[in-house]
Amino acid sequence: MVTKMFGHIIRKTVEVYIDDMLIKSLRKEDHAADLLQVFNILRGNRLRLNASKCTFGVSFGKFLDNISTKAVWDTLKEAFLESTNESRILLTTRYKSVAANSHADQSSSCHQLHLRTKDESWDLFEQMVHFPAESEQPSREVAKKFKALVSKVVGRCGGLPFSILRVGYLMSGKEVTVEELSRVLEHITHNQTPWFETLDINEKDLPLHLTQCLSYFGLFPRDFEIPARRLLALWVAEGLAQPIGGEEEESLESVAKKYLSQLIDRNLVQVVERKLNGDVKTCGFPSALRELWLRRHNRTTPTSFLSSSLDNRLAYYFDENDASGSRNHGSSIHSPHILRSCRNPRSFLFFDTREGNKPGQDIGNFLHRGIASGHPLQLQVLDLERVFRPQLPKNIGKLIQLTYLGLRWTYLEDIPESIGNLLNLLTLDVEHTYIRTLPGSIWKLQKLRHLYMNEIYRSKIVHQPRWNFLRSLQTLRGAFVDKDSPLKDGLGNLSNLRKLALAIQLDLSQQNALAENIVKLTHLESLKLKSIDEMGRPQELKVKSLSTLKNISSLYLFGKLQHPFIIIDINGLPQNLTDLTLSASKLSDDPIPKLEKLQKLKSLCLYCDSYTGKKMVWSKEGFPQLLVLKFWMLQELEDWDVKEQAMPNLKQLEIRSCKRLKVPNGLKHLKSLRELKLKDMPVEFTTTIKETKEQIWRDIAHSLAIIN
């Protein structure tokens, strides 16, 4: 594809290698025209450049590829020390020690290449392969299968640009069919060559703690997108995250997060999706790399029913799509071989995609038999996430070593009272279940650090004994607070909370104690408050000044703010905020002059009726770090005035259902914008943006994607 695009100027003014380009000119006065020619070709093919990798005006350069040791670089750099001709040196290496040494000079900069996310992988793949529209497929079923296969092909590349481009090259210019995709998928699955070097380099200096954490990925099914929230909690529960050296004051969760970041930096783990603030949302072990790792570390590749034992950790798989080809393995959940193969398991992780009651019954019977036999009494982790209504035994309290109980997306309706005997429990996750009330025995769990409840189903905690407080609790999400809730007046006793998300149904007078207790939680890092009525509609919300909560980086407020001037003020908000979401706030005065002074804000979401005025003004140099901006259902907004140099780093803008909004003249000032989403906007608004796109953003070198 690249050869077709630039064939007439390759080896003249352009050199291309995979996704790297060099634009060269014999005469300095011709260089601007040569650049413009390339930019026009890129723009015409809807391609974008990575600005962080672009360097302009290089008069003389040296390219040193694949420097393998610090000693080699130390020898070579002596030849360049006396250079006075403004030359630039481009050095590539696969070794962090070499990069760190070359980066020691303050005049140099280091750009680390990472595996692509799912969206980034798709963008790269789509540039090379043309897919038929859904309407061109023979049937809806074929279209569905086609879409799933394309997603699997791109995902199987593991975010490695070389693999994505190689597969794209194989498919470019061909008619893409289900059969062709299946063939390519088989080819990717067996092609592990690009990953050998990644593994070889890392195994030389991979610390034991990272080796253990990477091996843990092997318990998850191939191609599984693992929520970072789940993975980090499991590592902590398993004892894999431990402070090193003088890090005793650092929380285990922070240590686990650091481990994940290090594995990502080594390109051993792919970030599949990121949150708006840039944090990892889901991650994965690239398929080919996973197979190599398991083979080298004497781990047999798991069947669809049961993985091999991994340090007394067991994972049970049932994928209905693979069931017909896997029954011959004979390792069903009913088999006594499972418990005999690992008499004292530390962990059970269940992955069962079947619908209906059968999965819950099977796992219930398995746990009943296990507890009766005494085999799993040393169990530390029981993860049943997404298994439909597992039947928990009433005597589950006998698993007294349990540190993690994952029941998210199980749609359970109740939980046994004996859970109060799990005195070592660190994480209890019942989000997305039908559990209305947690048993009173929950207050016995004095080591509990993370409690996830179901806000939508109004999960409650019953009254606790006066002397019992969950003082170790760091995360409380999804709890429902009404006039009878012990949290209404007792929230301040949970003094170690870091993350708090509550849905409250209280009138303003009943919110006083709650508002006062929240400002006492000095360790808070994330706060989400939703004030709703019995139908879930927004109600008045009382919030005191949060400026004393200096650790808060994420804030979400849903409901009409009683005294908005207290909160929407530079002195009312934490100065370390990176994410702010307002919904149904009913702000009549433009909040932007106050909010744009938040120097660290990276994401701002103004949702339905957060602002009821007609005009907003965004000043010069306001929001210096903002990356993501969303307007949803601002029904009265007509004019959006964006001054020059406002939001200099904005990458994503989404405007949804703002029916009265006129096309802002200041859009041209958003020079770093990469993606503009227009959802449920008037046809005239969307058409005008698309038709004048080239005029609005004529000064930017990269291509802007407009999605509607």
Side-chain angles (χ1 to χ4, degrees):
M1 178 180 178
V2 176
T3 305
K4 291 179 182 178
M5 288 165 46
F6 296 102
H8 60 296
I9 53 176
I10 286 179
R11 309 225 188 285
K12 297 176 182 176
T13 58
V14 170
E15 301 292 344
V16 177
Y17 178 72
I18 303 182
D19 59 347
D20 289 319
M21 295 179 59
L22 172 70
I23 305 170
K24 58 187 181 179
S25 305
L26 288 175
R27 299 190 309 166
K28 191 172 184 178
E29 53 267 32
D30 295 335
H31 196 54
D34 293 336
L35 285 171
L36 184 60
Q37 183 183 24
V38 171
F39 291 158
N40 286 336
I41 293 172
L42 290 169
R43 186 178 289 114
N45 287 274
R46 300 183 64 191
L47 293 179
R48 288 176 273 176
L49 296 174
N50 185 342
S52 64
K53 292 180 64 178
C54 295
T55 303
F56 295 94
V58 180
S59 58
F60 185 87
K62 305 177 181 70
F63 179 72
L64 305 176
D65 187 29
N66 199 19
I67 304 299
S68 57
T69 67
K70 176 179 176 295
V72 170
W73 167 241
D74 287 341
T75 301
L76 289 172
K77 71 180 181 182
E78 295 296 326
F80 306 122
L81 292 179
E82 302 302 322
S83 177
T84 58
N85 57 6
E86 301 181 11
S87 66
R88 307 274 182 97
I89 300 173
L90 177 61
L91 178 152
T92 69
T93 181
R94 293 170 174 82
Y95 299 90
K96 295 193 93 174
S97 58
V98 177
N101 181 254
S102 65
H103 189 40
D105 182 359
Q106 292 184 354
S107 64
S108 66
S109 60
C110 184
H111 178 78
Q112 183 171 352
L113 299 177
H114 287 114
L115 299 177
R116 305 292 177 95
T117 65
K118 181 165 62 176
D119 285 345
E120 290 168 347
S121 299
W122 177 257
D123 287 344
L124 185 57
F125 191 67
E126 200 175 27
Q127 291 172 13
M128 305 185 69
V129 183
H130 173 71
F131 302 105
E134 187 171 333
S135 57
E136 298 175 16
Q137 299 287 3
S139 67
R140 184 173 296 179
E141 289 72 22
V142 172
K144 184 178 179 181
K145 184 177 181 180
F146 184 88
K147 186 176 181 180
L149 268 174
V150 171
S151 179
K152 203 164 188 177
V153 165
V154 177
R156 192 63 60 85
C157 293
L160 188 68
F162 179 84
S163 291
I164 299 167
L165 291 166
R166 191 170 187 274
V167 173
Y169 175 76
L170 290 173
M171 298 180 66
S172 62
K174 297 181 180 180
E175 180 183 358
V176 182
T177 63
V178 168
E179 292 72 25
E180 175 69 10
L181 287 169
S182 299
R183 186 189 65 78
V184 170
L185 184 62
E186 188 70 16
H187 169 77
I188 302 172
T189 301
H190 292 97
N191 182 25
Q192 299 172 342
T193 305
W195 298 95
F196 276 111
E197 191 170 31
T198 298
L199 200 54
D200 289 340
I201 291 171
N202 279 285
E203 284 194 322
K204 292 178 181 178
D205 64 347
L206 193 66
L208 177 61
H209 62 276
L210 292 186
T211 299
Q212 292 173 333
C213 288
L214 188 61
S215 292
Y216 202 86
F217 278 89
L219 289 171
F220 291 86
R222 184 171 67 177
D223 301 327
F224 195 84
E225 297 181 8
I226 311 170
R229 168 267 314 161
R230 182 182 185 181
L231 180 68
L232 299 182
L234 284 168
W235 281 354
V236 170
E238 296 269 18
L240 296 178
Q242 296 294 334
I244 301 174
E247 299 178 352
E248 287 79 4
E249 295 300 318
E250 190 172 14
S251 70
L252 296 178
E253 289 74 16
S254 296
V255 173
K257 190 174 182 179
K258 185 182 297 183
Y259 288 178
L260 179 59
S261 178
Q262 290 170 357
L263 289 173
I264 291 168
D265 285 345
R266 287 173 173 266
N267 284 337
L268 292 171
V269 171
Q270 177 195 13
V271 177
V272 178
E273 186 179 359
R274 290 190 181 275
K275 298 178 182 178
L276 289 179
N277 62 5
D279 286 348
V280 180
K281 184 175 183 179
T282 57
C283 58
F285 201 0
S287 178
L289 187 59
R290 175 180 182 272
E291 302 300 312
L292 282 173
W293 178 268
L294 291 174
R295 192 159 60 243
R296 287 194 183 184
H297 290 260
N298 298 318
R299 315 290 190 189
T300 57
T301 302
T303 71
S304 292
F305 281 99
L306 180 70
S307 82
S308 59
S309 172
L310 177 65
D311 300 325
N312 288 340
R313 300 180 176 104
L314 295 177
Y316 167 79
Y317 307 141
F318 195 116
D319 185 345
E320 231 169 1
N321 296 323
D322 293 337
S324 60
S326 304
R327 293 189 184 279
N328 292 332
H329 293 288
S331 298
S332 84
I333 196 170
H334 301 293
S335 172
H337 168 72
I338 295 179
L339 289 173
R340 286 204 303 267
S341 68
C342 186
R343 288 187 171 275
N344 295 297
R346 296 172 55 181
S347 311
F348 279 148
L349 284 74
F350 291 81
F351 303 92
D352 194 332
T353 61
R354 290 176 293 168
E355 298 179 355
N357 296 324
K358 195 70 167 62
Q361 292 171 357
D362 286 351
I363 288 173
N365 292 333
F366 174 75
L367 293 175
H368 277 289
R369 289 198 315 272
I371 292 175
S373 69
H375 286 307
L377 297 185
Q378 299 302 311
L379 198 66
Q380 294 179 4
V381 167
L382 180 57
D383 190 350
L384 306 176
E385 187 164 324
R386 290 190 179 275
V387 175
F388 186 72
R389 293 190 178 173
Q391 296 177 0
L392 298 182
K394 290 184 178 180
N395 61 349
I396 194 173
K398 287 188 176 182
L399 304 178
I400 58 175
Q401 301 300 325
L402 209 61
T403 57
Y404 181 97
L405 180 55
L407 302 171
R408 183 177 293 218
W409 290 109
T410 60
Y411 301 104
L412 274 177
E413 295 182 338
D414 54 46
I415 195 168
E417 182 76 25
S418 66
I419 194 175
N421 296 331
L422 306 178
L423 301 182
N424 290 302
L425 201 63
L426 301 177
T427 298
L428 174 60
D429 191 345
V430 294
E431 193 166 342
H432 301 294
T433 65
Y434 292 153
I435 297 172
R436 282 192 174 274
T437 305
L438 291 178
S441 60
I442 193 83
W443 295 103
K444 297 179 184 179
L445 308 181
Q446 293 300 299
K447 292 184 180 180
L448 193 65
R449 297 161 72 97
H450 308 287
L451 177 56
Y452 299 91
M453 302 171 67
N454 192 3
E455 167 198 308
I456 297 175
Y457 214 63
R458 305 196 172 202
S459 298
K460 296 182 183 180
I461 304 178
V462 300
H463 278 284
Q464 84 277 26
R466 290 186 179 181
W467 58 89
N468 272 357
F469 301 106
L470 301 177
R471 297 192 185 278
S472 298
L473 204 62
Q474 296 183 11
T475 303
L476 176 59
R477 291 186 59 87
F480 180 70
V481 181
D482 60 10
K483 59 183 180 61
D484 298 320
S485 171
L487 296 175
K488 180 173 74 71
D489 299 313
L491 186 65
N493 294 312
L494 307 180
S495 54
N496 277 310
L497 279 177
R498 265 71 168 173
K499 297 179 180 180
L500 176 62
L502 301 175
I504 62 177
Q505 187 179 326
L506 301 168
D507 60 37
L508 281 175
S509 63
Q510 294 170 330
Q511 292 185 36
N512 284 327
L514 191 68
E516 290 173 1
N517 280 325
I518 285 174
V519 297
K520 295 177 183 178
L521 303 175
T522 55
H523 295 295
L524 272 187
E525 299 170 0
S526 172
L527 176 61
K528 180 178 181 179
L529 297 174
K530 296 183 69 175
S531 180
I532 57 177
D533 65 10
E534 64 279 357
M535 300 299 293
R537 295 170 298 205
Q539 296 296 292
E540 286 191 294
L541 175 63
K542 185 169 188 175
V543 184
K544 291 184 176 293
S545 172
L546 302 174
S547 59
T548 57
L549 303 180
K550 300 185 182 301
N551 294 315
I552 287 188
S553 60
S554 178
L555 179 63
Y556 183 114
L557 300 176
F558 178 91
K560 182 181 179 182
L561 295 175
Q562 184 195 22
H563 298 301
F565 58 88
I566 294 178
I567 293 297
I568 310 302
D569 185 83
I570 192 63
N571 297 316
L573 290 168
Q575 294 305 295
N576 287 319
L577 269 188
T578 58
D579 304 271
L580 176 61
T581 299
L582 300 175
S583 185
S585 308
K586 299 285 186 181
L587 301 176
S588 56
D589 295 331
D590 185 359
I592 302 308
K594 305 288 186 182
L595 298 180
E596 65 186 3
K597 293 182 174 62
L598 294 169
Q599 298 294 305
K600 298 181 180 180
L601 200 66
K602 294 183 178 180
S603 172
L604 175 61
C605 299
L606 299 177
Y607 291 158
C608 181
D609 291 334
S610 55
Y611 175 55
T612 59
K614 294 184 177 182
K615 184 175 182 178
M616 286 195 298
V617 179
W618 298 55
S619 305
K620 178 180 179 180
E621 298 180 353
F623 295 111
Q625 299 298 323
L626 198 67
L627 301 175
V628 178
L629 174 62
K630 294 187 177 186
F631 293 156
W632 285 16
M633 300 179 70
L634 302 182
Q635 308 289 7
E636 305 300 322
L637 184 62
E638 298 178 3
D639 297 310
W640 180 30
D641 188 359
V642 181
K643 303 297 185 183
E644 190 172 0
Q645 297 181 31
M647 299 176 286
N649 291 297
L650 191 69
K651 299 291 189 295
Q652 298 178 35
L653 171 62
E654 181 174 339
I655 306 175
R656 182 188 299 253
S657 301
C658 297
K659 303 293 188 179
R660 299 186 180 183
L661 182 62
K662 304 168 188 172
V663 176
N665 291 326
L667 286 178
K668 61 185 178 183
H669 301 314
L670 305 179
K671 298 184 183 298
S672 62
L673 194 64
R674 297 302 181 96
E675 181 179 276
L676 173 60
K677 288 185 179 180
L678 303 174
K679 300 290 184 179
D680 192 30
M681 292 296 289
V683 174
E684 183 181 356
F685 185 97
T686 303
T687 302
T688 301
I689 293 279
K690 287 186 172 182
E691 290 180 349
T692 58
K693 171 186 170 182
E694 299 297 331
Q695 288 73 39
I696 296 174
W697 289 286
R698 61 177 178 271
D699 295 330
I700 64 173
H702 60 267
S703 177
L704 172 68
I706 298 180
I707 303 169
N708 67 326

